[in-house]
Amino acid sequence: MGAVLSLAGGFFNTTQFLQSYLMAYMLWLGVTLGCLALGMVHQLSGGAWGVVIRRPIGAASRVLPLMTVLFLRSRWA
């Protein structure tokens, strides 16, 4: 339902849609890159402090290829 509303908004007001897409993309890219950096710090330090959050950090970091595809898609719009 949200995707349909987004496409309708993109059809009626393209400028606002692209600005909103950019803001949402930057938010989720920041979360993804932040988790990737936190995971690298955990690997480098070798401590036990990140054992509990290792799985969620790994899952959030694995979204990076999708974020790359969405970036390339936004460049062609």
Side-chain angles (χ1 to χ4, degrees), residues 46-77:
W49 58 269
V51 173
V52 176
I53 60 172
R54 188 181 323 165
R55 298 279 179 165
I57 286 175
S61 299
R62 284 188 211 105
V63 182
L64 194 58
L66 175 65
M67 297 304 287
T68 305
V69 169
L70 290 175
F71 173 73
L72 293 175
R73 170 62 184 108
S74 69
R75 299 294 295 166
W76 291 329

Side-chain angles (χ1 to χ4, degrees), residues 2 6 11-12 15 17 19 23 25 28 30 34 43 46 50 56 72:
S6 293
F11 180 72
F12 290 116
T15 304
F17 172 76
Q19 289 175 354
M23 289 301 296
Y25 178 80
W28 292 112
Q43 288 292 327
L72 293 175

Side-chain angles (χ1 to χ4, degrees), residues 13-41:
N13 193 351
T14 307
T15 304
Q16 181 62 45
F17 172 76
L18 291 175
Q19 289 175 354
S20 301
Y21 181 85
L22 178 64
M23 289 301 296
Y25 178 80
M26 293 304 292
L27 170 75
W28 292 112
L29 181 66
V31 170
T32 302
L33 292 177
C35 286
L36 183 65
L38 193 58
M40 287 191 281
V41 167

